[in-house]
């Protein structure tokens, strides 16, 4: 009876330890997710006013293309300088406009899962050397001026897209559809 009791005790101890480790891992991932979302929202807050101001001044979206082409990457670079060492934020999409925002294999995998799940909640993914926090972006109505149906898009806007982004993939969206993600990467 004593050997059986010791074995059961050992199994119970092992389960308790594994449950405790699992709880700690979940708590850590939740903390990383919260921090990543703060970083993601910070980048959105840095870029969005520039785009909204240009759309307010020119609802066709033509000036918005120029604002994005001239300001989005520099604003992203400037924002990343303010983050702690080992952290950075970027934008990407399956249908990207700027080749500098082209997704990698992990990005593609995560975005495809988001599309299938239709869940736009932030997602945390662990990679070899970092954690990535993906914040999905649904297509908003103001963004349709530059990312909507080419057939109904303003002619000047189409011309600016072609001029600034000759390999553009980021049109044809409908409001509420998955547009892309903002990704916070936090080194372990």
């Amino acid at each position: 009876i004593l050997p059986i009791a010791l074995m059961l005790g050992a199994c119970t101890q092992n389960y308790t330890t594994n449950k405790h480790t699992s709880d700690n891992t979940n708590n850590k991932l939740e903390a990383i997710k919260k921090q990543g979302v703060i970083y993601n929202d910070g980048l959105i807050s840095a870029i969005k006013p520039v785009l909204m101001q240009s759309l307010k001044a020119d609802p066709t979206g033509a000036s918005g293309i120029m604002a994005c082409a001239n300001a989005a990457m520099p604003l992203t670079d400037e924002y990343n300088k303010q983050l702690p060492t080992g952290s950075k934020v970027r934008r990407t999409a399956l249908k990207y406009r700027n080749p500098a925002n082209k997704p990698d294999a992990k990005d593609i995998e995560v975005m495809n899962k988001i599309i299938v799940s239709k869940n736009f909640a932030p997602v945390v993914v662990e990679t070899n050397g970092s954690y990535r926090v993906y914040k999905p972006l649904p297509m908003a109505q103001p963004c349709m001026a530059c990312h909507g149906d080419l057939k109904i898009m303003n002619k000047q806007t189409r011309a600016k897209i072609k001029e600034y982004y000759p390999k553009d993939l980021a049109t044809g969206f409908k409001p509420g559809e998955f547009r892309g993600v903002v990704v916070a990467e936090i080194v372990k």
Side-chain angles (χ1 to χ4, degrees):
I1 293 179
L2 184 58
I4 292 173
L6 289 174
M7 285 178 22
L8 287 175
C11 289
T12 303
Q13 177 66 29
N14 190 24
Y15 169 76
T16 304
T17 303
N18 287 341
K19 184 179 182 326
H20 180 70
T21 302
S22 177
D23 287 346
N24 284 343
T25 300
N26 288 339
N27 290 339
K28 181 178 181 177
L29 290 178
E30 274 305 309
I32 289 167
K33 182 191 289 186
K34 285 181 184 177
Q35 191 62 51
V37 168
I38 290 169
Y39 293 166
N40 290 338
D41 288 345
L43 178 63
I44 293 167
S45 294
I47 294 174
K48 188 175 181 177
V50 173
L51 294 176
M52 295 311 289
Q53 184 179 10
S54 70
L55 283 172
K56 187 175 180 182
D58 176 14
T60 69
S63 65
I65 295 294
M66 292 173 16
C68 196
N70 295 324
M73 293 307 278
L75 285 170
T76 301
D77 292 342
E78 194 59 38
Y79 179 75
N80 279 326
K81 288 178 187 175
Q82 299 171 27
L83 294 179
T85 303
S87 298
K88 69 178 180 177
V89 181
R90 61 189 170 82
R91 299 168 297 131
T92 191
L94 295 171
K95 292 172 62 177
Y96 55 91
R97 175 157 282 162
N98 185 336
N101 295 329
K102 184 177 180 178
D104 65 20
K106 181 56 75 179
D107 296 337
I108 293 168
E109 175 188 333
V110 171
M111 287 188 283
N112 280 324
K113 285 181 181 178
I114 291 168
I115 291 168
V116 168
S117 74
K118 297 181 182 173
N119 183 349
F120 286 8
V123 176
V124 179
V125 174
E126 187 173 357
T127 66
N128 287 337
S130 67
Y131 296 96
R132 291 183 182 181
V133 181
Y134 290 84
K135 182 172 182 172
L137 300 172
M139 178 55 65
Q141 186 60 47
C143 304
M144 296 299 292
C146 302
H147 294 286
D149 187 343
L150 283 170
K151 294 175 195 155
I152 60 174
M153 189 180 292
N154 177 279
K155 185 176 163 181
Q156 291 174 311
T157 304
R158 284 194 316 262
K160 291 290 181 191
I161 291 170
K162 192 168 187 159
E163 177 185 346
Y164 284 95
Y165 302 104
K167 295 182 180 182
D168 177 55
L169 303 173
T171 57
F173 290 99
K174 294 181 178 114
E177 284 185 327
F178 175 77
R179 166 65 188 96
V181 290
V182 178
V183 185
E185 194 154 353
I186 303 167
V187 173
K188 291 181 181 178

